[in-house]
Amino acid sequence: MALAVIARTGAAIYHLGMQTQTSNPATITPMLTTARKVVVHSAGGYDRLKLETCAMPVPGRDQVRIEVRAIGVNYADTIVRMGLYASAKEYVGWPITPGFEVSGVVAAVGAGVTDLAVGTEVFAVTLFGGYSSQVVVDRGRVFRRPPALSFEQAAALPAVYMTAWYALFELAHPRPGQRVLVHSAAGGVGSALVQMAKLVGCEVTGVVGKSAKVAAVKTLGADHVIDKSTQDLWREAERIAPDGYDLVLDANGVSTLGASYKHLRRAGKLVVYGFHSMMPKTGGKPNWPMLAIDYVRTPRFNPMDMTNNSHSVLAFNLSYLFDRVELLHEAMAQIVGWLETGKIAPPTVTTYPLAEVARAHADIESGQTIGKLVLLP
Ligand SMILES: NC(=O)c1ccc[n+]([C@@H]2O[C@H](COP(=O)([O-])OP(=O)(O)OC[C@H]3O[C@@H](n4cnc5c(N)ncnc54)[C@H](OP(=O)(O)O)[C@@H]3O)[C@@H](O)[C@H]2O)c1
C-alpha cells in the first residue's frame, strides 16, 4: 500500500535504516513576512483542511521559531479534524491547526534562548499547530536533529516513539522473555512498540490487518506476525502463547479490547491508548449511530475481576502530558541514543506535499498505510 500511496501522490519513501538526508538545505529563507498553515475552521471531512496564508509568527520569551522542513502526520490529527479529540477542544477550540511534531531550521529565537542559534537543525513537539511552514514552540520542546536522521524521519519521530516509550517504560515495564502482543504493529506507534519491546528482549507478536504489512513487521524484528485478514487472530494468538500474554498494547478499542484483556496471563497488563476501530475507514466523517453503539459496547473493566485475575489495565493520552517536559527529555534522550547506536531504526516515512494534506488524512484513515506519513511544506 505504501507503494500505492507513492504512485498516487508522487511522494518519496524512506526505508527502515536508511540514513537519508533531505534535499532541503539548512538555510533560512530570507525576508519572509508570511507563513502557510492548514486551518480547520469547523469539524468535518477532508474539505475542512484549508491551506491558508497567515502573518509570520513571532517567538516570545523562551520560544523558538522553526522554519519547517517536514511535519509528522498522526492518526489523532484526523480525529482533531472530525472534532472528536477532547484535548484539542480543551486547549484550542476552533479554528485549529492540527499537528504534534515538526522538523526544520531555527529561524528566530525569543529573549532568553541562548543555547540554540539561528540555523540550527532541529525537531520539536507541538501541542497542535504543527501543520505550518513556520512554527513557534517553547525551547524546552525543541531538540537538535540527529545527523543520522533526515528532516522527514526527525519529524516522524516524536509522537509515535514517545507514545511507545511511555506505554512500555513508564507504564508497563516489560521484562526480558515476556510475551508481548502489539496490535496494528505496522503503523506509526505499532512499529515503535515492536522495536522497543524487542530491545528489552521480549518475545513480540505483531498483529496486522493486511497481508502487505507482514514483511514490514518481520523487518522490525517481531518474532511472530498475525495477519488478521487471512488468519483467525485469537486462535493464532493462543497457539503462540497458550498461557496468555504478559503485555498487550491495544489502540483498536472496541473491536479487540475485551479479547485483549482475556488473553492476558496472570499478572498481565493491558495498555489502552486509542480507539481507532470506532472510526470509519473511508469518507472522513464519523458514523454517528455506529460510534454510539461502539461507545456502549466498549468494555468496562471490573476492579474485582482485575484483582482476582491479577490483570492490570493502563491507559494514557500523551496530549494531556504535554507539560511533563522532564519526561519528554528523558524519553527523547533514550530514543535518540538507541537510534544513533542502531538499536532501533528510524521510522519508515512516506511523504506528501502539504497541499495534499487531505490525501494524507484519507490514507492514514484507510488503515492501509505502513510506518509514518509526513507532510512537506
Ligand atoms: N494515547 C496516546 O497518547 C496516543 C498517541 C499516539 C497515537 N495514539 C493512537 O495510536 C493509534 C495509532 O496511531 P498512529 O498515528 O500510529 O496510526 P497508524 O497505526 O499508523 O494507523 C492506524 C492503524 O490502525 C489500524 N486500524 C484498525 N481499525 C481501523 C480503523 N477503523 N480506521 C483506521 N485504522 C484502523 C490499521 O492497522 P491494522 O489494520 O494493521 O491494525 C491502521 O493502519 C491511534 O489509535 C492513535 O489515536 C494514541
Side-chain angles (χ1 to χ4, degrees):
M1 174 58 194
L3 291 176
V5 171
I6 295 163
R8 279 192 283 126
T9 60
I13 192 165
Y14 296 83
H15 288 287
L16 275 172
M18 277 185 71
Q19 300 191 348
T20 317
Q21 294 303 309
T22 182
S23 53
N24 293 326
T27 50
I28 305 302
T29 315
M31 310 296 280
L32 271 181
T33 55
T34 58
R36 291 175 313 130
K37 63 180 180 180
V38 173
V39 183
V40 181
H41 289 271
S42 60
Y46 310 120
D47 59 338
R48 301 300 160 102
L49 297 159
K50 307 283 189 204
L51 188 55
E52 299 181 355
T53 300
C54 60
M56 181 66 77
V58 178
R61 184 166 187 85
D62 296 327
Q63 289 187 320
V64 168
R65 174 163 64 83
I66 299 171
E67 186 168 293
V68 175
R69 295 285 186 267
I71 303 157
V73 175
N74 289 282
Y75 186 80
D77 302 342
T78 73
I79 308 300
V80 172
R81 190 202 71 235
M82 291 186 224
L84 296 172
Y85 206 75
S87 65
K89 291 199 250 185
E90 199 173 320
Y91 294 129
V92 184
W94 305 108
I96 188 166
T97 295
F100 290 110
E101 52 195 354
V102 299
S103 67
V105 181
V106 174
V109 295
V113 178
T114 54
D115 60 343
L116 265 189
V118 168
T120 309
E121 298 179 2
V122 294
F123 66 101
V125 294
T126 55
L127 187 58
F128 312 104
Y131 285 18
S132 181
S133 64
Q134 304 280 338
V135 164
V136 166
V137 59
D138 289 350
R139 165 67 188 95
R141 298 185 178 95
V142 180
F143 301 85
R144 288 170 197 275
R145 177 175 73 88
L149 298 185
S150 67
F151 279 114
E152 289 85 348
Q153 290 167 331
L157 189 76
V160 295
Y161 280 62
M162 268 294 292
T163 301
W165 184 92
Y166 189 87
L168 292 177
F169 304 118
E170 193 65 15
L171 297 185
H173 302 289
R175 293 170 184 274
Q178 288 192 327
R179 287 186 163 142
V180 175
L181 186 132
V182 178
H183 289 287
S184 304
V189 179
S191 298
L193 283 169
V194 169
Q195 294 193 76
M196 288 184 200
K198 280 308 298 175
L199 192 61
V200 179
C202 296
E203 181 183 324
V204 178
T205 300
V207 182
V208 296
K210 193 177 158 66
S211 303
K213 298 180 179 181
V214 171
V217 179
K218 286 199 172 138
T219 305
L220 293 166
D223 300 281
H224 318 276
V225 184
I226 303 176
D227 174 6
K228 286 193 292 187
S229 71
T230 59
Q231 294 173 291
D232 182 310
L233 163 57
W234 294 114
R235 192 179 309 145
E236 194 58 19
E238 285 160 16
R239 186 191 64 74
I240 293 165
D243 299 330
Y245 289 85
D246 298 286
L247 173 60
V248 179
L249 299 127
D250 192 326
N252 285 323
V254 63
S255 67
T256 55
L257 212 47
S260 291
Y261 181 83
K262 285 198 182 102
H263 284 81
L264 294 176
R265 65 182 292 204
R266 292 268 185 243
K269 297 172 188 170
L270 169 62
V271 178
V272 183
Y273 65 100
F275 299 90
H276 48 229
S277 69
M278 294 168 101
M279 305 310 295
K281 290 189 171 175
T282 56
K285 290 181 184 165
N287 177 335
W288 292 105
M290 280 308 300
L291 200 58
I293 291 167
D294 281 351
Y295 178 77
V296 173
R297 288 174 54 224
T298 298
R300 273 68 173 165
F301 299 104
N302 181 317
M304 288 187 182
D305 292 343
M306 289 168 63
T307 307
N308 285 336
N309 295 327
S310 296
H311 288 167
S312 301
V313 179
L314 303 145
F316 68 104
N317 181 335
L318 271 192
S319 68
Y320 284 110
L321 304 175
F322 196 70
D323 289 338
R324 302 284 302 276
V325 177
E326 79 289 354
L327 267 183
L328 176 66
H329 283 263
E330 187 186 334
M332 217 46 86
Q334 214 164 10
I335 291 164
V336 168
W338 289 331
L339 284 162
E340 287 183 330
T341 51
K343 291 184 172 156
I344 59 175
T348 302
V349 170
T350 305
T351 61
Y352 300 68
L354 183 59
E356 295 190 26
V357 58
R359 195 186 296 273
H361 273 214
D363 285 343
I364 198 164
E365 284 173 42
S366 73
Q368 308 285 310
T369 53
I370 294 173
K372 283 281 293 189
L373 312 187
V374 164
L375 302 168
L376 303 180

